[in-house]
Structures are given as C-alpha cells and as structure tokens.
Amino acid sequence: MALGEFELIRRFFAAAACARGGEGVALGIGDDCALLAPPPGEQLAVSTDTLVEGVHFPHDPPPLALGQRALAVAASDLAAMGAAPLGFTLALTLPQVDASWLQAFAEGLDAMALACGLQLVGGDTTRGPLSLTVTVFGTVPAGLALTRAGARPGDLLCVGGTLGDAAGALPLVLGQRSAPAALSEPLLARYWAPQPQFSLGLALRGLASAALDISDGLLADCGHISAASGVALQIEQSRVPLSDALQAFAGAPAAMQAALAGGDDYRLAFTLPAMYLPRLRQLGHEPSVIGKVVAGSGVYLIDDAGRDITPRQRGYQHFQEQP
Ligand code: ADP
Ligand code: MG
C-alpha cells in the first residue's frame, strides 16, 4: 500500500467532519477505545451491520453512494428502537488502497453521518475482499425503547412511507435497465441513500406498541413483530403505499411484489393504539395505516373483499434456499 494504514485513517476518517467529536463522545478516534458518555438515565442502543461486495451491493459500487448506504442501513436500526443518534464505528476491509475511491467513499459516509447526527468514533482498517461493518450507538431513556414485542390486538399497523422503491430499483442498480432521470434518480436514491427515520422513531416513543425497520420485506419483517408480540398482523394490500416512480418503472404488480417481499426499504413499520394517531400527526408525522393487529399468529394479506391473498414468498434470508 503506497498510503500507509495510519495515514489512510488520518486522512479519510479521523479528519472527516463527522469525526470531530461532540456531545456524548468523551474520546473519539486515536486511542485504543473511544469513550462514550450517554446522558444519565439513558440506555445505550447498539447495532452492527455488515455489507459484503456481491452480496449486499453489486461489484464495483460507486464509492460515494456506498459510503452513504453503509451507514444508513446500520443507522436505521437505531431509529427503529426510538434511539437518538450518538456515534458509530467503521470496520473497513479493502482489496487495495485507491485514494480517489477512498475520498469519495469518505465523502458519502460523512454526508450521511452529518444528516443523521452520528459521530465517527473509531474503526478498523484491513486488507481483503471489499466489505464494511458499521456499528452504531444511540441513546434512549430507560424503558422507552421501541421493541418488536408489545403489539396488542386492536392496534393499527403503520409504515413510515412508500415501500418497494429500493428493491424495484435493483435492475437500475445492476445496470440491467435504464430509465429517464425523473424515474431513475428517486429510485436509485432510495437504494443507495435511504434516510433513517430518526425523527419518526423519536416521535413514536411512548406511543408505538412495537416497531422495527423494514430491511427484508414488509411481510417478512411484520412476521418478527407478530412472533415477538404473540399476535397476528392483517395487512390490506390496497393500503400499502407505492411511489409513482416505482409504479411507472416496474408496473403495478411488480411494484406491489417489491413492496411486500423486496427488502432494503429501511422505513419503519410499527403498531400504534388508534387513540395515539392524532398525537403522532400533531408531532408532524403522517404514517400510512396499512392494517391492524388481531389475535392469533402470523401475517395475513387481504384484498378489498377481505379474502386472504397472502403470498408464499415472504422475503430474503441468508442461508435459506429460496423457493
Ligand atoms: P488498534 O491496533 O489499537 O486496534 P488501530 O491501529 O486499528 O487500533 O486504529 C487506530 C485508531 O484509528 C483507533 O482509534 C481506531 O478506532 C481508529 N480507526 C481505525 N480504522 C478506522 C476507520 N476505518 N475509521 C475510523 N477510525 C478508524
Ligand atoms: Mg490498540
């Protein structure tokens, strides 16, 4: 490596705006550990995500977009717990040192970090096949974290925005199809730079009975709320929100398929006692109500006549044979 490991860390990461330190970070990059100082009475929320080239993103990815995406997918888990953003670490494995690639990657990472309010506090840099592991830290007052358990029959089932855009954008991401900029730009942005829903997550504290972020597809992830809460979730297909861009690009049936089972949405799904909906609107959020919690187990999709139209394919799982 022409550029040494320490020079690389200093130039692209320690010198980034997001690594300057700030509230909640007593010591950042440069020592054996970072020291985090959550406010008194708050719990530390921690989550790790790994992205591997060829598995979680295509080969030879645009570096700026990759920097944004790597942080966004990890940060989304904090939002889903109702945690406020604090910091993150980055473990980066690179096949070689390419200064212009690193420059663009660090720029994307920095932009997403500043947008989320997350400070880079440490990491690790190694040589090998391209992969990224981001660990995020957030804070939440004890007892107020939004877990997957807690949904009760009668609660509304809501999502924080349109679904399926990122999965629908895959032919664009992989260069298999092209589309006019008016369609391709919003769809590619939803794949490469999903915006973690921090403000919604904070608003849901004390209101939502259960929450998660949708990463593996609506039906699969709702299955996690159903299992953890010991309830059934009923989704009305016609209420699942689809963007105009996705429907124009993919056609309505494929758009719905992407929304139900596609994955990579990073929108929040949550259950909410109906009496709290006005409060949530007062706080400036207009979620899409897509169904309700009922007694039983599992996730059911129904049509306008109330008929069960649940598909068998529910989402993506590593290590599972896809039917
Ligand atoms: P150690 O050998 O003690 O594990 P390293 O030499 O790997 O430490 O890293 C030196 C410092 O740089 C540490 O504070 C570490 O957290 C930080 N660091 C290493 N790689 C990165 C990176 N990719 N992004 C941010 N900080 C990093
Ligand atoms: Mg050390």
Side-chain angles (χ1 to χ4, degrees):
M1 294 193 185
L3 193 65
E5 178 187 336
F6 297 108
E7 173 60 11
L8 180 163
I9 294 167
R10 195 198 58 73
R11 193 160 137 200
F12 298 109
F13 300 110
C18 65
R20 259 181 227 141
E23 209 179 326
V25 178
L27 184 65
I29 293 177
D31 217 305
D32 292 312
C33 288
L35 298 173
L36 303 182
E42 304 220 357
Q43 294 175 325
L44 197 57
V46 181
S47 173
T48 289
D49 276 289
T50 295
L51 300 186
V52 177
E53 181 172 30
V55 179
H56 301 94
F57 56 86
H59 288 283
D60 207 9
L64 189 143
L66 181 65
Q68 291 184 304
R69 177 169 160 80
L71 182 55
V73 305
S76 176
D77 287 313
L78 292 177
M81 290 300 280
L86 175 54
F88 69 105
T89 60
L90 168 71
L92 183 59
T93 303
L94 294 169
Q96 74 265 322
V97 173
D98 172 342
S100 67
W101 191 98
L102 273 161
Q103 180 71 44
F105 173 82
E107 220 174 278
L109 186 82
D110 202 35
M112 184 58 73
L114 296 175
C116 291
L118 284 164
Q119 304 167 64
L120 179 58
V121 299
D124 196 23
T125 307
T126 52
R127 190 199 286 262
L130 179 60
S131 97
L132 307 115
T133 296
V134 174
T135 301
V136 289
F137 304 91
T139 58
V140 59
L144 282 188
L146 308 170
T147 70
R148 299 171 176 194
R152 292 289 164 264
D155 291 350
L156 304 174
L157 174 63
C158 307
V159 292
T162 58
L163 301 179
D165 293 319
L170 269 184
L172 296 169
V173 172
L174 297 172
Q176 295 163 345
R177 267 188 74 184
S178 60
L183 293 186
S184 66
E185 278 172 11
L187 294 175
L188 283 168
R190 291 281 308 136
Y191 178 86
W192 283 116
Q195 304 293 316
Q197 297 195 290
F198 276 109
S199 137
L200 177 58
L202 293 179
L204 291 174
R205 283 179 180 174
L207 301 182
S209 50
L212 49 57
D213 66 322
I214 303 173
S215 54
D216 297 328
L218 175 68
L219 297 178
D221 284 316
C222 280
H224 299 312
I225 292 182
S226 153
S229 297
V231 295
L233 300 183
Q234 194 179 75
I235 299 172
E236 292 175 51
Q237 177 164 276
S238 61
R239 289 179 173 233
V240 174
L242 304 174
S243 73
D244 292 339
L246 178 62
Q247 292 183 83
F249 176 69
M256 183 56 72
Q257 173 64 21
L260 294 174
D264 285 332
D265 286 302
Y266 304 105
R267 303 265 201 212
L268 302 191
F270 55 95
T271 57
L272 185 77
M275 64 179 176
Y276 291 143
L277 193 54
R279 176 80 191 119
L280 193 56
R281 291 191 174 128
Q282 249 174 26
L283 292 169
H285 296 279
E286 190 55 61
S288 297
V289 178
I290 60 165
K292 63 182 180 197
V293 182
V294 295
S297 65
V299 179
Y300 301 91
L301 190 66
I302 58 173
D303 67 11
D304 286 337
R307 282 181 299 244
D308 187 339
I309 51 167
T310 314
R312 288 187 57 234
Q313 168 79 28
R314 294 198 169 198
Y316 184 79
Q317 279 189 38
H318 293 272
F319 308 115
Q320 191 190 52
E321 301 284 336
Q322 301 293 316

